[in-house]
Amino acid sequence: MRRPIVIGNWKMNGDYAANRELLSGLVEQWTGVHQAEVAVCPPFVYLAQAAELLENTNIGFGSQDISKQASGAYTGEVSGPMLSDVGCRYALVGHSERREYHGETSQLVAEKFQAALDNGLIPVLCVGESLEDREAGKTFDVVGAQLLAVIEHCGLAGVAKGIIAYEPIWAIGTGKTATPEMAQDVHSYIREVMGPEGDSVRILYGGSVKPDSAEGLFGQKDIDGALVGGASLNADDFVAICRAAE
């Protein structure tokens, strides 16, 4: 049985005061024992604050990226050992914004996935297609190629230790959301590519998930939770999505 998980990606948002208010609201509303696992990914500079405020709670935290290098002269990078040291449990790799704005290749994403595994982190591999790709009928080709690059580098068993997040690029920050059936088709395909290992891998949907769309998405058999962007910056909305996952 795959345990549902909802991860909030704060992207480049937040400050000390706003973070404290947001995390306090999450902790207050997400007490007790829950079926769904919950985590947030603040910007690097606020990871220590998240570690402090989430200590002894049932909410985990992770990073929005990870360097493929463990240490050295790599200005601006943050390594796996550093993330583990501060208490991170997860690391996002291959988010569409990293691929698009920073030119990250699928090979680099695969190396980052392995770096997360090597440091005891759970990598969250983001895959997804553009609107142009979808309209051209290339969704499976694009998603498959992104996934296979990581499988070739880390092996099926390695990929199975992580989490996969399907994020249609055309639905991020646009207010558009894939229908539950559209998302299910891609999730089912990803599980098929993974073969027998796919039965245990958690696959999340990550395209502008909101409280009113969450229940329909989570009702699909191959959708195990969500990677939430904008809605994760509002405690009430984020908790509503987490509850829908249960």
Side-chain angles (χ1 to χ4, degrees):
M1 192 72 179
R2 299 184 300 269
R3 186 184 182 190
I5 180 168
V6 178
I7 301 174
N9 176 16
W10 292 4
K11 304 191 179 184
M12 197 171 68
N13 293 290
D15 57 46
Y16 275 112
N19 299 347
R20 181 174 294 276
E21 181 179 357
L22 174 55
L23 291 175
S24 296
L26 293 181
V27 169
E28 182 180 351
Q29 295 185 62
W30 197 251
T31 57
V33 178
H34 292 274
Q35 180 185 356
E37 192 174 344
V38 172
V40 295
C41 293
F44 286 131
V45 294
Y46 298 123
L47 287 174
Q49 183 191 27
E52 177 186 355
L53 295 176
L54 296 176
E55 187 176 9
N56 299 320
T57 73
N58 54 5
I59 300 173
F61 67 96
S63 68
Q64 297 178 16
D65 191 22
I66 182 174
S67 175
K68 72 173 186 177
Q69 307 291 346
S71 64
Y74 302 100
T75 301
E77 294 287 280
V78 178
S79 71
M82 293 174 180
L83 297 173
S84 294
D85 191 37
V86 81
C88 282
R89 178 167 171 78
Y90 308 93
L92 305 184
V93 297
H95 192 280
S96 62
E97 290 158 2
R98 298 294 310 178
R99 294 178 191 262
E100 180 179 359
Y101 304 145
H102 300 273
E104 293 195 1
T105 64
S106 291
Q107 178 59 35
L108 176 58
V109 171
E111 291 170 346
K112 289 186 173 189
F113 191 102
Q114 186 63 55
L117 290 178
D118 291 343
N119 289 281
L121 300 166
I122 298 174
V124 181
L125 170 65
C126 302
V127 297
E129 84 284 15
S130 67
L131 181 59
E132 182 180 10
D133 292 329
R134 172 161 282 275
E135 290 180 340
K138 296 180 179 178
T139 294
F140 288 175
D141 292 339
V142 171
V143 171
Q146 292 172 343
L147 180 56
L148 286 171
V150 184
I151 291 173
E152 289 172 3
H153 186 78
C154 304
L156 275 170
V159 176
K161 293 177 182 177
I163 295 170
I164 299 172
Y166 167 57
E167 44 161 32
I169 300 170
W170 50 270
I172 298 176
T174 63
K176 297 180 180 179
T177 306
T179 66
E181 293 75 21
M182 291 165 66
Q184 166 61 25
D185 284 346
V186 182
H187 281 236
S188 176
Y189 169 73
I190 291 171
R191 216 174 287 288
E192 183 181 323
V193 171
M194 288 291 296
E197 298 281 4
D199 292 339
S200 62
V201 176
R202 291 184 288 183
I203 307 176
L204 315 183
Y205 176 73
S208 295
V209 180
K210 300 290 190 293
D212 60 358
S213 64
E215 187 173 348
L217 288 163
F218 299 155
Q220 303 299 310
K221 69 174 185 176
D222 288 309
I223 298 180
D224 304 313
L227 179 60
V228 184
S232 70
L233 301 175
N234 180 290
D236 292 341
D237 287 350
F238 188 59
V239 169
I241 294 170
C242 295
R243 286 178 177 150
E246 297 198 288

